[in-house]
Amino acid sequence: MTAEPARSAARMRASDADREAVVEQLREAAAEGRIDMDELDERLNLALTAKTYGELAPITDDLGGGPAVQATGEPLVLRGGIHGVQRKGAWQVPPRVLVHGGIGGALLDFSGAECGQRVIEVEVEGQMGGVRIVVPDGWGVDTDALDPALGGLRSKVTGEREPGAPLLRITGSCGVGGVRIRRPGLRERRRKR
């Protein structure tokens, strides 16, 4: 019974973000010396022309570091509603997260999360309560496609992304409540120990 869902997931169409995640993993593997430049060119060509998850997966299977593309599973959806919502502590990060601030706001804390993804697509809708995101040291954050709307974006995330570390690609709208992004504070660091 499990073979059919895996086979159908392999036939699902890959997005540009999925192909870019594989390209990023290949570039990092070349920078670390795990593949040479000829093999990099060959694999990049395969990644950029892949149409399905089944075509993408074998390109990085032997590189380790977790799968660059995860074809199965639904996106994680968090809705703030009236009372707010939090996702923190130990949790498994899917390739795609949708966060709606609602009236009570939303907290998305990656500081204790288990992440095997290279690129995580986070779509936010700040609405009235806003969205707060806590990003571990070394992780990268891309907010170029985020609409600041009325609430705006406040990011305290500085520093370069470490090789092999995940990249959060944040899109959507800040709404009225805004989007706040920061590194873990003292409380999160203590909790992680």
Side-chain angles (χ1 to χ4, degrees):
M1 288 187 103
T2 59
E4 184 56 37
R7 207 169 39 236
S8 63
R11 289 189 293 233
M12 287 179 57
R13 300 289 285 198
S15 69
D16 288 340
D18 297 324
R19 284 184 282 276
E20 183 59 36
V22 171
V23 166
E24 182 68 24
Q25 186 176 1
L26 291 171
R27 287 184 181 142
E28 288 175 7
E32 294 166 359
R34 291 189 281 145
I35 58 176
D36 62 28
M37 295 314 252
D38 291 334
E39 192 172 3
L40 174 64
D41 286 341
E42 180 183 324
R43 290 184 186 211
L44 283 175
N45 185 41
L46 291 171
L48 293 171
T49 58
K51 291 185 174 36
T52 65
Y53 287 118
E55 293 172 3
L56 279 177
I59 298 170
T60 57
D61 275 349
D62 63 340
L63 297 179
V69 175
Q70 186 175 30
T72 60
E74 294 292 316
L76 171 64
V77 179
L78 300 174
R79 297 184 187 280
I82 294 174
H83 301 288
V85 66
Q86 296 182 358
R87 178 57 61 112
K88 61 184 184 179
W91 59 284
Q92 187 66 40
V93 179
R96 190 153 185 254
V97 182
L98 307 174
V99 186
H100 303 273
I103 295 174
L107 169 65
L108 185 60
D109 184 349
F110 290 96
S111 60
E114 294 291 324
C115 183
Q117 309 299 320
R118 295 287 184 165
V119 177
I120 302 113
E121 302 289 335
V122 179
E123 184 178 332
V124 298
E125 291 298 328
Q127 298 172 332
M128 294 296 289
V131 175
R132 293 175 294 143
I133 302 173
V134 180
V135 182
D137 295 327
W139 285 30
V141 176
D142 174 8
T143 58
D144 291 345
L146 182 62
D147 176 11
L150 290 174
L153 168 68
R154 277 193 232 152
S155 178
K156 294 184 178 181
V157 174
T158 59
E160 292 292 316
R161 176 180 170 210
E162 293 176 3
L167 170 68
L168 292 179
R169 196 168 278 140
I170 303 174
T171 61
S173 172
C174 294
V176 175
V179 172
R180 310 294 177 255
I181 306 171
R182 64 176 176 84
R183 296 288 185 201
L186 186 58
R187 186 175 295 162
E188 288 97 358
R189 291 179 200 277
R190 281 186 188 156
R191 195 179 311 130
K192 193 170 182 181
R193 290 183 207 158

